[in-house]
Amino acid sequence: MLGAFQDKSDNATLSNIRLLFNHPYIDAYKTSIEISLVTALLGGVIGLFIAYAALRDGTPKFFRAGLLTFSGVAANFGGIPLAFAWIATLGPLGVVTVWLRSAGWDPSAHGFQLFSKTGVELVYMYFQLPLMILVIAPAIEGLKREWREAAANLGAKPWQFWRYVGIPVLMPSLLGAMILLFGNSFAAYATAYSLTSGTVNIVPVLISAYYTGNVLDNPHIAQSLAFGMFIVLAAMMLAYIPLQRRSARWSK
Amino acid sequence: MAASAYVWLFLAAAYFLIPLYATLAFSLKKNEAGTPCCTLANYSWVIHNGDFWHTIKISFLLAIETIVISLLLFVPTIYWVHLKLPKLRPVIAFMALIPFIVPPIVMVVGLLRVFRGTPHWFYAEPWGFLATAYVILAFPYMFFSLDAGFRSIDVHTLTEASQSLGASWPTTLFRVILPNIRSAALAASFLTLAIVLGEFTIANLAAFHTFPIFLQYVNESQGFPAGALTLLSFMITWAAMLSLLLVGRKRAARGALITGPR
């Protein structure tokens, strides 16, 4: 970490840190944070719906066991193999691309590129959703059916139940899970690197360019980039504590 | 059951299964047109590839080295903490969260700097530098799994019973404690195996040739054999995770299930 504050001859300096706020470094942070926010929010909401669909009363029990087992495995898919699976699906020669093209609709003609930011977000959902399902499942199981019935007896409509009971009760777990998802996606490197051959401008890819590429003239820039990532994650954790405290008053 | 629930589950299934199917379809193709339809040539390419065997051997040996070092380090430590120093437990639990929060890419930048200037046999060999990094990476999973294992047994009674029968410390540890936390230790080992076999970030930045590096190289150069390799890699993850589910006590396993190379 100290390396972030040193120049090429190991003298103390802040210039590397100041550099972070300049082009192109700040853009990498923006892209990274945007991808992480999008996948954390979408992954959180969609994951919640999927988990609820499988766990709610009336869904056969084997859906629950199947979903949780599959999520346990799929949450661990990632990196190089995952990137390839998606290239085989939606890449230029991918199975779905070829199929859509023969059906007369070319995704690349409509602005879809797997190797772009949208593509990276789509692929990240593959490990974000299972993670969300695993983390939120215990909280959903904690929603007692008696509460629903009590609310219905008192004349509440379903949306009123969710607005005044369901969401507030789930909120602490939901927030915690989304923070976890944010960190998970913010730290991801191998998937994006392999998917885009290092062309998407996110911070981990930029750091690695300083080590594996031919541009290694100042390792301290990589170190200060890493330091910046650490700061973003720490800030996220700090923001989480008061939010958690505010929303956790319901769970006493 | 509401129709909307079926719609959600169907969409989820499609999203998760289509890429797996696409990978399988790719692995059975010989060329872009896909003629002849199905061929096992890509699988035979993998089996007859020297680099494949070389890198997967390195990755497996690394995984075993990491597991052995981690177990030797953490089993006695966590045992001792549970037995004599329960106040230290939260401190270690907090330390175990650090590798979990700090991204691997940040960790490797720090490690490369810290170990710069160490002897060649350590810095330039996977068995030295990379194994050290992986022990750190595996620490959270080892700790939370073993900790749950130790909490589910009565460490004090077992130790006292063993000692009053005249057993030495090593005998107590290996013949009394270890068999009792076997499933926790196995669960931790499978997780570590899955982590090390899929880890790309650290190996790439430190320039070591492990199995994921080979996989990435094939992805870039030969599309169709890459399908076969990818499927193989998925199957290793499946196998490790399903073994984990089989051996792990449910509680210990669930907390530790979240890992994986990103």
Side-chain angles (χ1 to χ4, degrees), chain B residues 180-221:
Chain B
N180 275 297
I181 55 146
R182 207 185 48 157
S183 67
L186 270 177
S189 305
F190 281 124
L191 270 171
T192 309
L193 185 77
I195 294 170
V196 174
L197 286 180
E199 207 290 322
F200 176 77
T201 311
I202 296 178
N204 189 34
L205 263 76
F208 291 112
H209 290 279
T210 58
F211 176 61
I213 305 287
F214 173 66
L215 187 58
Q216 168 64 9
Y217 166 73
V218 177
N219 275 1
E220 282 173 3
S221 49

mmCIF file of all heavy atoms in Angstrom, chain B residues 180-221:
data_model
loop_
_atom_site.group_PDB
_atom_site.id
_atom_site.type_symbol
_atom_site.label_atom_id
_atom_site.label_comp_id
_atom_site.label_asym_id
_atom_site.label_seq_id
_atom_site.Cartn_x
_atom_site.Cartn_y
_atom_site.Cartn_z
ATOM 1 N N ASN B 180 -12.892 -35.905 14.618
ATOM 2 C CA ASN B 180 -14.172 -35.278 14.939
ATOM 3 C C ASN B 180 -14.505 -34.079 14.065
ATOM 4 O O ASN B 180 -15.667 -33.699 13.949
ATOM 5 C CB ASN B 180 -14.183 -34.846 16.411
ATOM 6 C CG ASN B 180 -14.585 -35.986 17.305
ATOM 7 O OD1 ASN B 180 -15.696 -36.486 17.203
ATOM 8 N ND2 ASN B 180 -13.670 -36.421 18.144
ATOM 9 N N ILE B 181 -13.487 -33.455 13.500
ATOM 10 C CA ILE B 181 -13.770 -32.307 12.627
ATOM 11 C C ILE B 181 -13.497 -32.681 11.172
ATOM 12 O O ILE B 181 -13.301 -31.820 10.319
ATOM 13 C CB ILE B 181 -12.929 -31.074 13.003
ATOM 14 C CG1 ILE B 181 -11.449 -31.439 12.997
ATOM 15 C CG2 ILE B 181 -13.335 -30.507 14.335
ATOM 16 C CD1 ILE B 181 -10.592 -30.304 12.560
ATOM 17 N N ARG B 182 -13.490 -34.004 10.893
ATOM 18 C CA ARG B 182 -13.112 -34.451 9.559
ATOM 19 C C ARG B 182 -13.969 -33.810 8.461
ATOM 20 O O ARG B 182 -13.462 -33.361 7.447
ATOM 21 C CB ARG B 182 -13.215 -35.966 9.478
ATOM 22 C CG ARG B 182 -12.284 -36.570 8.459
ATOM 23 C CD ARG B 182 -12.543 -38.038 8.350
ATOM 24 N NE ARG B 182 -13.983 -38.273 8.209
ATOM 25 C CZ ARG B 182 -14.500 -39.354 7.667
ATOM 26 N NH1 ARG B 182 -13.716 -40.289 7.249
ATOM 27 N NH2 ARG B 182 -15.807 -39.499 7.564
ATOM 28 N N SER B 183 -15.290 -33.765 8.678
ATOM 29 C CA SER B 183 -16.130 -33.254 7.592
ATOM 30 C C SER B 183 -15.878 -31.765 7.355
ATOM 31 O O SER B 183 -15.888 -31.306 6.218
ATOM 32 C CB SER B 183 -17.601 -33.526 7.881
ATOM 33 O OG SER B 183 -18.019 -32.772 8.980
ATOM 34 N N ALA B 184 -15.600 -31.022 8.431
ATOM 35 C CA ALA B 184 -15.283 -29.597 8.253
ATOM 36 C C ALA B 184 -13.977 -29.438 7.497
ATOM 37 O O ALA B 184 -13.864 -28.602 6.588
ATOM 38 C CB ALA B 184 -15.203 -28.899 9.605
ATOM 39 N N ALA B 185 -12.979 -30.261 7.843
ATOM 40 C CA ALA B 185 -11.682 -30.172 7.170
ATOM 41 C C ALA B 185 -11.815 -30.562 5.701
ATOM 42 O O ALA B 185 -11.210 -29.933 4.826
ATOM 43 C CB ALA B 185 -10.665 -31.061 7.873
ATOM 44 N N LEU B 186 -12.637 -31.580 5.429
ATOM 45 C CA LEU B 186 -12.843 -31.989 4.035
ATOM 46 C C LEU B 186 -13.540 -30.897 3.240
ATOM 47 O O LEU B 186 -13.160 -30.588 2.108
ATOM 48 C CB LEU B 186 -13.687 -33.266 3.990
ATOM 49 C CG LEU B 186 -12.939 -34.596 4.014
ATOM 50 C CD1 LEU B 186 -13.925 -35.740 4.037
ATOM 51 C CD2 LEU B 186 -12.045 -34.707 2.793
ATOM 52 N N ALA B 187 -14.569 -30.294 3.850
ATOM 53 C CA ALA B 187 -15.295 -29.221 3.164
ATOM 54 C C ALA B 187 -14.338 -28.090 2.820
ATOM 55 O O ALA B 187 -14.325 -27.586 1.691
ATOM 56 C CB ALA B 187 -16.437 -28.716 4.037
ATOM 57 N N ALA B 188 -13.508 -27.708 3.796
ATOM 58 C CA ALA B 188 -12.548 -26.632 3.554
ATOM 59 C C ALA B 188 -11.584 -27.020 2.440
ATOM 60 O O ALA B 188 -11.218 -26.191 1.607
ATOM 61 C CB ALA B 188 -11.789 -26.318 4.838
ATOM 62 N N SER B 189 -11.200 -28.289 2.401
ATOM 63 C CA SER B 189 -10.248 -28.728 1.379
ATOM 64 C C SER B 189 -10.856 -28.680 -0.027
ATOM 65 O O SER B 189 -10.199 -28.264 -0.975
ATOM 66 C CB SER B 189 -9.776 -30.151 1.674
ATOM 67 O OG SER B 189 -9.253 -30.217 2.968
ATOM 68 N N PHE B 190 -12.103 -29.097 -0.142
ATOM 69 C CA PHE B 190 -12.748 -29.055 -1.461
ATOM 70 C C PHE B 190 -12.884 -27.616 -1.953
ATOM 71 O O PHE B 190 -12.690 -27.333 -3.135
ATOM 72 C CB PHE B 190 -14.113 -29.725 -1.419
ATOM 73 C CG PHE B 190 -14.035 -31.214 -1.471
ATOM 74 C CD1 PHE B 190 -14.600 -32.001 -0.497
ATOM 75 C CD2 PHE B 190 -13.374 -31.845 -2.522
ATOM 76 C CE1 PHE B 190 -14.515 -33.380 -0.540
ATOM 77 C CE2 PHE B 190 -13.286 -33.216 -2.579
ATOM 78 C CZ PHE B 190 -13.859 -33.989 -1.587
ATOM 79 N N LEU B 191 -13.242 -26.719 -1.031
ATOM 80 C CA LEU B 191 -13.347 -25.311 -1.413
ATOM 81 C C LEU B 191 -12.005 -24.797 -1.910
ATOM 82 O O LEU B 191 -11.924 -24.134 -2.949
ATOM 83 C CB LEU B 191 -13.772 -24.479 -0.209
ATOM 84 C CG LEU B 191 -15.262 -24.297 -0.024
ATOM 85 C CD1 LEU B 191 -15.542 -23.658 1.307
ATOM 86 C CD2 LEU B 191 -15.794 -23.417 -1.140
ATOM 87 N N THR B 192 -10.947 -25.118 -1.157
ATOM 88 C CA THR B 192 -9.612 -24.665 -1.548
ATOM 89 C C THR B 192 -9.237 -25.233 -2.905
ATOM 90 O O THR B 192 -8.680 -24.534 -3.758
ATOM 91 C CB THR B 192 -8.593 -25.097 -0.483
ATOM 92 O OG1 THR B 192 -9.079 -24.693 0.791
ATOM 93 C CG2 THR B 192 -7.251 -24.476 -0.735
ATOM 94 N N LEU B 193 -9.570 -26.500 -3.118
ATOM 95 C CA LEU B 193 -9.297 -27.133 -4.417
ATOM 96 C C LEU B 193 -9.964 -26.345 -5.543
ATOM 97 O O LEU B 193 -9.333 -26.009 -6.553
ATOM 98 C CB LEU B 193 -9.811 -28.568 -4.398
ATOM 99 C CG LEU B 193 -9.512 -29.418 -5.614
ATOM 100 C CD1 LEU B 193 -8.061 -29.883 -5.582
ATOM 101 C CD2 LEU B 193 -10.430 -30.625 -5.683
ATOM 102 N N ALA B 194 -11.249 -26.022 -5.337
ATOM 103 C CA ALA B 194 -11.973 -25.287 -6.373
ATOM 104 C C ALA B 194 -11.354 -23.915 -6.603
ATOM 105 O O ALA B 194 -11.239 -23.460 -7.743
ATOM 106 C CB ALA B 194 -13.446 -25.148 -5.990
ATOM 107 N N ILE B 195 -10.950 -23.256 -5.518
ATOM 108 C CA ILE B 195 -10.361 -21.917 -5.657
ATOM 109 C C ILE B 195 -9.062 -21.982 -6.453
ATOM 110 O O ILE B 195 -8.866 -21.263 -7.428
ATOM 111 C CB ILE B 195 -10.086 -21.296 -4.275
ATOM 112 C CG1 ILE B 195 -11.389 -21.045 -3.539
ATOM 113 C CG2 ILE B 195 -9.296 -20.008 -4.413
ATOM 114 C CD1 ILE B 195 -11.176 -20.671 -2.106
ATOM 115 N N VAL B 196 -8.172 -22.888 -6.039
ATOM 116 C CA VAL B 196 -6.850 -22.921 -6.657
ATOM 117 C C VAL B 196 -6.950 -23.354 -8.129
ATOM 118 O O VAL B 196 -6.277 -22.795 -8.991
ATOM 119 C CB VAL B 196 -5.913 -23.863 -5.869
ATOM 120 C CG1 VAL B 196 -4.582 -24.013 -6.579
ATOM 121 C CG2 VAL B 196 -5.696 -23.327 -4.471
ATOM 122 N N LEU B 197 -7.826 -24.318 -8.434
ATOM 123 C CA LEU B 197 -7.919 -24.786 -9.815
ATOM 124 C C LEU B 197 -8.510 -23.736 -10.745
ATOM 125 O O LEU B 197 -8.355 -23.830 -11.956
ATOM 126 C CB LEU B 197 -8.750 -26.067 -9.887
ATOM 127 C CG LEU B 197 -8.048 -27.315 -9.369
ATOM 128 C CD1 LEU B 197 -8.959 -28.515 -9.487
ATOM 129 C CD2 LEU B 197 -6.758 -27.563 -10.131
ATOM 130 N N GLY B 198 -9.208 -22.735 -10.195
ATOM 131 C CA GLY B 198 -9.810 -21.737 -11.064
ATOM 132 C C GLY B 198 -9.155 -20.376 -10.983
ATOM 133 O O GLY B 198 -9.551 -19.473 -11.701
ATOM 134 N N GLU B 199 -8.170 -20.220 -10.117
ATOM 135 C CA GLU B 199 -7.638 -18.892 -9.847
ATOM 136 C C GLU B 199 -6.827 -18.379 -11.033
ATOM 137 O O GLU B 199 -5.868 -19.002 -11.459
ATOM 138 C CB GLU B 199 -6.769 -18.929 -8.590
ATOM 139 C CG GLU B 199 -6.699 -17.615 -7.868
ATOM 140 C CD GLU B 199 -5.916 -16.571 -8.616
ATOM 141 O OE1 GLU B 199 -4.884 -16.913 -9.235
ATOM 142 O OE2 GLU B 199 -6.343 -15.413 -8.609
ATOM 143 N N PHE B 200 -7.207 -17.210 -11.545
ATOM 144 C CA PHE B 200 -6.550 -16.662 -12.729
ATOM 145 C C PHE B 200 -5.783 -15.381 -12.409
ATOM 146 O O PHE B 200 -4.651 -15.202 -12.852
ATOM 147 C CB PHE B 200 -7.604 -16.389 -13.799
ATOM 148 C CG PHE B 200 -7.067 -15.733 -15.033
ATOM 149 C CD1 PHE B 200 -6.367 -16.467 -15.966
ATOM 150 C CD2 PHE B 200 -7.266 -14.382 -15.258
ATOM 151 C CE1 PHE B 200 -5.865 -15.874 -17.112
ATOM 152 C CE2 PHE B 200 -6.763 -13.774 -16.398
ATOM 153 C CZ PHE B 200 -6.070 -14.526 -17.319
ATOM 154 N N THR B 201 -6.408 -14.506 -11.619
ATOM 155 C CA THR B 201 -5.879 -13.161 -11.404
ATOM 156 C C THR B 201 -4.427 -13.172 -10.927
ATOM 157 O O THR B 201 -3.555 -12.566 -11.553
ATOM 158 C CB THR B 201 -6.740 -12.433 -10.366
ATOM 159 O OG1 THR B 201 -8.101 -12.584 -10.731
ATOM 160 C CG2 THR B 201 -6.381 -10.976 -10.301
ATOM 161 N N ILE B 202 -4.186 -13.866 -9.810
ATOM 162 C CA ILE B 202 -2.862 -13.813 -9.203
ATOM 163 C C ILE B 202 -1.837 -14.504 -10.107
ATOM 164 O O ILE B 202 -0.743 -13.980 -10.342
ATOM 165 C CB ILE B 202 -2.900 -14.445 -7.799
ATOM 166 C CG1 ILE B 202 -3.817 -13.609 -6.899
ATOM 167 C CG2 ILE B 202 -1.507 -14.547 -7.202
ATOM 168 C CD1 ILE B 202 -3.973 -14.134 -5.513
ATOM 169 N N ALA B 203 -2.226 -15.664 -10.652
ATOM 170 C CA ALA B 203 -1.296 -16.396 -11.511
ATOM 171 C C ALA B 203 -0.931 -15.555 -12.729
ATOM 172 O O ALA B 203 0.222 -15.525 -13.157
ATOM 173 C CB ALA B 203 -1.921 -17.724 -11.936
ATOM 174 N N ASN B 204 -1.912 -14.838 -13.283
ATOM 175 C CA ASN B 204 -1.662 -14.048 -14.482
ATOM 176 C C ASN B 204 -0.720 -12.884 -14.193
ATOM 177 O O ASN B 204 0.235 -12.647 -14.919
ATOM 178 C CB ASN B 204 -2.989 -13.535 -15.042
ATOM 179 C CG ASN B 204 -2.820 -12.900 -16.406
ATOM 180 O OD1 ASN B 204 -1.985 -13.322 -17.193
ATOM 181 N ND2 ASN B 204 -3.612 -11.883 -16.678
ATOM 182 N N LEU B 205 -0.992 -12.162 -13.093
ATOM 183 C CA LEU B 205 -0.167 -10.993 -12.807
ATOM 184 C C LEU B 205 1.229 -11.377 -12.364
ATOM 185 O O LEU B 205 2.179 -10.629 -12.574
ATOM 186 C CB LEU B 205 -0.843 -10.096 -11.763
ATOM 187 C CG LEU B 205 -1.613 -8.958 -12.437
ATOM 188 C CD1 LEU B 205 -2.888 -9.462 -13.025
ATOM 189 C CD2 LEU B 205 -1.855 -7.827 -11.467
ATOM 190 N N ALA B 206 1.357 -12.544 -11.722
ATOM 191 C CA ALA B 206 2.679 -12.965 -11.280
ATOM 192 C C ALA B 206 3.357 -13.822 -12.348
ATOM 193 O O ALA B 206 4.449 -14.323 -12.127
ATOM 194 C CB ALA B 206 2.579 -13.717 -9.963
ATOM 195 N N ALA B 207 2.690 -13.995 -13.493
ATOM 196 C CA ALA B 207 3.258 -14.707 -14.644
ATOM 197 C C ALA B 207 3.634 -16.153 -14.345
ATOM 198 O O ALA B 207 4.768 -16.571 -14.560
ATOM 199 C CB ALA B 207 4.458 -13.947 -15.197
ATOM 200 N N PHE B 208 2.691 -16.934 -13.815
ATOM 201 C CA PHE B 208 2.891 -18.371 -13.657
ATOM 202 C C PHE B 208 1.950 -19.102 -14.596
ATOM 203 O O PHE B 208 0.850 -18.626 -14.878
ATOM 204 C CB PHE B 208 2.604 -18.802 -12.213
ATOM 205 C CG PHE B 208 3.615 -18.305 -11.235
ATOM 206 C CD1 PHE B 208 3.267 -17.359 -10.287
ATOM 207 C CD2 PHE B 208 4.915 -18.776 -11.270
ATOM 208 C CE1 PHE B 208 4.200 -16.891 -9.383
ATOM 209 C CE2 PHE B 208 5.850 -18.308 -10.373
ATOM 210 C CZ PHE B 208 5.497 -17.368 -9.436
ATOM 211 N N HIS B 209 2.368 -20.300 -15.057
ATOM 212 C CA HIS B 209 1.549 -21.011 -16.027
ATOM 213 C C HIS B 209 0.735 -22.104 -15.369
ATOM 214 O O HIS B 209 1.157 -23.241 -15.275
ATOM 215 C CB HIS B 209 2.405 -21.557 -17.161
ATOM 216 C CG HIS B 209 2.918 -20.458 -18.022
ATOM 217 N ND1 HIS B 209 2.145 -19.888 -19.007
ATOM 218 C CD2 HIS B 209 4.066 -19.776 -18.000
ATOM 219 C CE1 HIS B 209 2.827 -18.906 -19.573
ATOM 220 N NE2 HIS B 209 3.991 -18.816 -18.977
ATOM 221 N N THR B 210 -0.446 -21.733 -14.896
ATOM 222 C CA THR B 210 -1.344 -22.703 -14.290
ATOM 223 C C THR B 210 -2.452 -23.052 -15.279
ATOM 224 O O THR B 210 -2.505 -22.508 -16.384
ATOM 225 C CB THR B 210 -1.962 -22.133 -13.002
ATOM 226 O OG1 THR B 210 -2.638 -20.937 -13.339
ATOM 227 C CG2 THR B 210 -0.900 -21.849 -11.968
ATOM 228 N N PHE B 211 -3.352 -23.926 -14.861
ATOM 229 C CA PHE B 211 -4.398 -24.395 -15.757
ATOM 230 C C PHE B 211 -5.293 -23.266 -16.291
ATOM 231 O O PHE B 211 -5.559 -23.214 -17.499
ATOM 232 C CB PHE B 211 -5.225 -25.483 -15.055
ATOM 233 C CG PHE B 211 -6.386 -25.966 -15.862
ATOM 234 C CD1 PHE B 211 -6.187 -26.559 -17.097
ATOM 235 C CD2 PHE B 211 -7.679 -25.822 -15.398
ATOM 236 C CE1 PHE B 211 -7.256 -27.007 -17.855
ATOM 237 C CE2 PHE B 211 -8.753 -26.259 -16.143
ATOM 238 C CZ PHE B 211 -8.543 -26.845 -17.370
ATOM 239 N N PRO B 212 -5.776 -22.337 -15.434
ATOM 240 C CA PRO B 212 -6.607 -21.249 -15.993
ATOM 241 C C PRO B 212 -5.880 -20.398 -17.020
ATOM 242 O O PRO B 212 -6.507 -19.893 -17.959
ATOM 243 C CB PRO B 212 -6.971 -20.428 -14.753
ATOM 244 C CG PRO B 212 -6.859 -21.369 -13.619
ATOM 245 C CD PRO B 212 -5.731 -22.278 -13.965
ATOM 246 N N ILE B 213 -4.574 -20.240 -16.861
ATOM 247 C CA ILE B 213 -3.800 -19.465 -17.838
ATOM 248 C C ILE B 213 -3.813 -20.183 -19.190
ATOM 249 O O ILE B 213 -4.007 -19.578 -20.245
ATOM 250 C CB ILE B 213 -2.343 -19.286 -17.353
ATOM 251 C CG1 ILE B 213 -2.315 -18.665 -15.959
ATOM 252 C CG2 ILE B 213 -1.537 -18.474 -18.342
ATOM 253 C CD1 ILE B 213 -2.667 -17.230 -15.914
ATOM 254 N N PHE B 214 -3.618 -21.499 -19.134
ATOM 255 C CA PHE B 214 -3.680 -22.310 -20.346
ATOM 256 C C PHE B 214 -5.055 -22.202 -20.994
ATOM 257 O O PHE B 214 -5.187 -22.036 -22.208
ATOM 258 C CB PHE B 214 -3.350 -23.769 -19.986
ATOM 259 C CG PHE B 214 -3.540 -24.732 -21.128
ATOM 260 C CD1 PHE B 214 -2.750 -24.665 -22.259
ATOM 261 C CD2 PHE B 214 -4.523 -25.708 -21.053
ATOM 262 C CE1 PHE B 214 -2.930 -25.554 -23.304
ATOM 263 C CE2 PHE B 214 -4.704 -26.601 -22.095
ATOM 264 C CZ PHE B 214 -3.907 -26.516 -23.225
ATOM 265 N N LEU B 215 -6.088 -22.255 -20.163
ATOM 266 C CA LEU B 215 -7.459 -22.157 -20.662
ATOM 267 C C LEU B 215 -7.676 -20.834 -21.402
ATOM 268 O O LEU B 215 -8.248 -20.802 -22.494
ATOM 269 C CB LEU B 215 -8.422 -22.270 -19.473
ATOM 270 C CG LEU B 215 -9.906 -22.356 -19.761
ATOM 271 C CD1 LEU B 215 -10.201 -23.549 -20.638
ATOM 272 C CD2 LEU B 215 -10.666 -22.491 -18.445
ATOM 273 N N GLN B 216 -7.173 -19.754 -20.810
ATOM 274 C CA GLN B 216 -7.313 -18.445 -21.434
ATOM 275 C C GLN B 216 -6.563 -18.395 -22.764
ATOM 276 O O GLN B 216 -7.061 -17.873 -23.763
ATOM 277 C CB GLN B 216 -6.811 -17.359 -20.476
ATOM 278 C CG GLN B 216 -6.619 -15.977 -21.083
ATOM 279 C CD GLN B 216 -7.915 -15.371 -21.578
ATOM 280 O OE1 GLN B 216 -8.992 -15.901 -21.319
ATOM 281 N NE2 GLN B 216 -7.825 -14.282 -22.301
ATOM 282 N N TYR B 217 -5.370 -19.019 -22.788
ATOM 283 C CA TYR B 217 -4.578 -19.044 -24.017
ATOM 284 C C TYR B 217 -5.333 -19.786 -25.120
ATOM 285 O O TYR B 217 -5.387 -19.325 -26.270
ATOM 286 C CB TYR B 217 -3.225 -19.700 -23.725
ATOM 287 C CG TYR B 217 -2.468 -20.081 -24.970
ATOM 288 C CD1 TYR B 217 -1.872 -19.099 -25.760
ATOM 289 C CD2 TYR B 217 -2.377 -21.412 -25.363
ATOM 290 C CE1 TYR B 217 -1.205 -19.439 -26.906
ATOM 291 C CE2 TYR B 217 -1.707 -21.760 -26.517
ATOM 292 C CZ TYR B 217 -1.128 -20.772 -27.291
ATOM 293 O OH TYR B 217 -0.477 -21.119 -28.436
ATOM 294 N N VAL B 218 -5.945 -20.915 -24.769
ATOM 295 C CA VAL B 218 -6.692 -21.676 -25.778
ATOM 296 C C VAL B 218 -7.918 -20.897 -26.234
ATOM 297 O O VAL B 218 -8.258 -20.874 -27.414
ATOM 298 C CB VAL B 218 -7.080 -23.062 -25.224
ATOM 299 C CG1 VAL B 218 -7.925 -23.823 -26.236
ATOM 300 C CG2 VAL B 218 -5.847 -23.859 -24.886
ATOM 301 N N ASN B 219 -8.603 -20.237 -25.288
ATOM 302 C CA ASN B 219 -9.766 -19.420 -25.635
ATOM 303 C C ASN B 219 -9.430 -18.410 -26.713
ATOM 304 O O ASN B 219 -10.210 -18.161 -27.620
ATOM 305 C CB ASN B 219 -10.238 -18.620 -24.413
ATOM 306 C CG ASN B 219 -11.172 -19.426 -23.552
ATOM 307 O OD1 ASN B 219 -11.445 -20.580 -23.847
ATOM 308 N ND2 ASN B 219 -11.647 -18.827 -22.493
ATOM 309 N N GLU B 220 -8.236 -17.810 -26.570
ATOM 310 C CA GLU B 220 -7.864 -16.761 -27.509
ATOM 311 C C GLU B 220 -7.467 -17.330 -28.858
ATOM 312 O O GLU B 220 -7.630 -16.671 -29.870
ATOM 313 C CB GLU B 220 -6.700 -15.942 -26.933
ATOM 314 C CG GLU B 220 -7.143 -14.941 -25.887
ATOM 315 C CD GLU B 220 -5.964 -14.267 -25.216
ATOM 316 O OE1 GLU B 220 -4.818 -14.536 -25.608
ATOM 317 O OE2 GLU B 220 -6.209 -13.495 -24.275
ATOM 318 N N SER B 221 -6.913 -18.556 -28.847
ATOM 319 C CA SER B 221 -6.341 -19.045 -30.089
ATOM 320 C C SER B 221 -7.197 -20.082 -30.814
ATOM 321 O O SER B 221 -7.284 -20.054 -32.026
ATOM 322 C CB SER B 221 -4.933 -19.601 -29.838
ATOM 323 O OG SER B 221 -4.959 -20.488 -28.746
#
